[in-house]
Amino acid sequence: MLENLDKIDWSKLLHAYGPASDVPGLLRELTSAEEEVRDAAYGELYSNIWHQGTVYEASSYAVPFLIELLEQPEVREKERVLGLLEAIAHGSSYNAAHADLTIFEKESQTEEYQREMQIQLGWVRQAYLAVREGLPVYRVLLNHPEPAVRAGAADLLATFTEKEEAPASARLLLARFSREENSAVKNSLVTSLGFLAKPGTAEAELLHGLLSARHEEPLLRQLAAAALSRVMGESVPEEAVEILVKVITGQRKDQAWYGGPDSIGADSASKALLRIGVERGVPALARALTGAADPEAALAVAEALLGLAFSERRQKVILRSYSHSEEGREQHKYSLKEETALAIDTELENGLGELKAGLTVRRREAVAAIVGADPLWALDTNLYRVYRLPITRQELASLL
């Protein structure tokens, strides 16, 4: 096991902290019988070959050995290996991730920074392709005796949505679901089908059927609704829309699970409704916002609602911060580039007449829902400025 580790000159490869000389030792420690040793090794690897969402030159070289560990019966906690591989496959480059931050604003415009970023993006691509090479292994692990490993394999398979890979993975996920008894694994299978299934397939029919399967756990039905929003977009069944709205509003009717602890949450439900298009998504989100009682939930809905109704007006956010004011109000602040913020201020100072005249029916519906959402105004936020809209309730109301 791992016999080829020392054939690579790790000292000539880079990770987040410089030469990757420590990587082979850490990979070997993942095979340790001692949990503390494995924990420490995972902690280091989540810091050097994958660091806060970024990957490096050494990352793709480490991946084949991680895949090799998955094939060894004696290796413990394979779900952790799968999780690390998933993180690496989704990694970004350091320069790309930091280019929009204020402290890098001038440096990111230099030729050197851009050249480095192109090299790093090559590492990102290599890392992704290296993880994709393990697809046959992940598919086999869907039938592993340990539920956590089956769930981890399903989660990782959802990463590879290419048309030449997705159908085969989707069929295997469907076959696994038909005999799966563990609820957590079923949740992962359904979520992954949302990325891999296509309309009109047996996989899509399964998701549709779960919406009304009263014998299934409520969370699974919510996950199926969110998954269908990915698969079907604007054609998503109305039943899925209603489930997602109820997650946000907490309406219970004859089920006590809406908005409860076994819930995908308002943020995930709002993002799912964001995917169903303006004509259906705006009314659904507006309705959800009207019924949202929690300020945090209301903010999640407002973000999705504005993103859908005013998409082309959205300005790039370089930083989002959370804090509490002296009065105890929660603050959710969105920072924009200075020149962008100044341009928005000038635009708003020139009056709201042009903006008001350009409001469509759906945009008016979105603004009306935001103005009327009392929990939303319990927060101190400048979210509306991101969409070049006035930030006070009175000024927004004047658009109607």
Side-chain angles (χ1 to χ4, degrees), residues 245-253 255-260 288 291-293:
V245 170
K246 287 174 182 175
V247 168
I248 297 166
T249 62
Q251 294 173 1
R252 296 180 186 250
K253 292 190 177 180
Q255 264 91 28
W257 57 271
Y258 291 117

Side-chain angles (χ1 to χ4, degrees), residues 125-145:
R125 183 61 179 167
Q126 289 168 10
Y128 173 84
L129 293 175
V131 179
R132 195 175 70 173
E133 285 295 309
L135 269 170
V137 177
Y138 317 145
R139 288 167 176 165
V140 169
L141 290 176
L142 283 175
N143 297 312
H144 194 275

